Amino acid sequence: MTTPTLSAAARLVLDFVTSGEALSDRADLARFLREHRLATEGAIPITLSDLDEALTLRAAMRAVLIRGEGNTGDNPDVMARGQRVLDGLRVTVRLLPDADTASPLAPAVVDEVRRGLARIAGAWAALVATGELRDLRV
């Protein structure tokens, strides 16, 4: 039996959701964004609010993935807060997406951190649209 190959979108989302203690402060968030090519090299001004949004989004995505595994311990408050973060991330659709991007959705925001989170949101949207989300496991 072969293991299915994960898409770029799935790899990005899983890396984000399973980042755990590796994503616990602003420096960790900057490192994650750079390592996943979601932000440019150099200094990234990250506020505590940015970090809170990232952690909130991660917790909500994790809750959805765990719920998909048959767990019933999801928290509606966590998911509602995560949805508010997603609602605040503006994205646009690319007519011709790059072959190496995780999603045809692209950030429509100027702020570097929010642009990185919008790319993660775009990857999540791609997983939902293709149905690949159903097969992801944390």
Side-chain angles (χ1 to χ4, degrees):
M1 176 181 241
T2 61
T3 303
T5 304
L6 294 176
S7 67
R11 284 191 307 274
L12 174 58
V13 167
L14 282 177
D15 284 353
F16 183 62
V17 167
T18 61
S19 58
E21 291 300 314
L23 183 58
S24 60
D25 63 24
R26 293 181 291 179
D28 293 339
L29 178 56
R31 188 173 24 263
F32 180 90
L33 294 174
R34 279 192 209 97
E35 287 174 357
H36 289 82
R37 297 177 28 208
L38 302 174
T40 59
E41 291 299 322
I44 304 171
I46 298 177
T47 66
L48 290 174
S49 178
D50 292 334
L51 178 62
D52 184 57
E53 276 194 336
L55 297 178
T56 297
L57 182 59
R58 181 183 69 177
M61 288 178 170
R62 184 174 178 80
V64 171
L65 292 177
I66 289 173
R67 187 174 84 180
E69 294 175 354
N71 279 334
T72 57
D74 61 309
N75 184 335
D77 291 337
V78 167
M79 297 187 35
R81 286 191 304 272
Q83 186 61 56
R84 281 193 296 276
V85 171
L86 285 175
D87 291 345
L89 297 173
R90 295 187 0 226
V91 295
T92 186
V93 179
R94 297 258 186 236
L95 282 173
L96 297 171
D98 297 329
D100 63 339
T101 57
S103 168
L105 298 177
V109 291
V110 177
D111 177 82
E112 186 105 33
V113 175
R114 294 182 63 72
R115 205 168 37 237
L117 293 179
R119 286 189 173 104
I120 294 169
W124 183 265
L127 297 177
V128 171
T130 63
E132 191 176 3
L133 184 66
R134 289 185 306 264
D135 300 325
L136 282 186
R137 298 290 175 255
V138 176

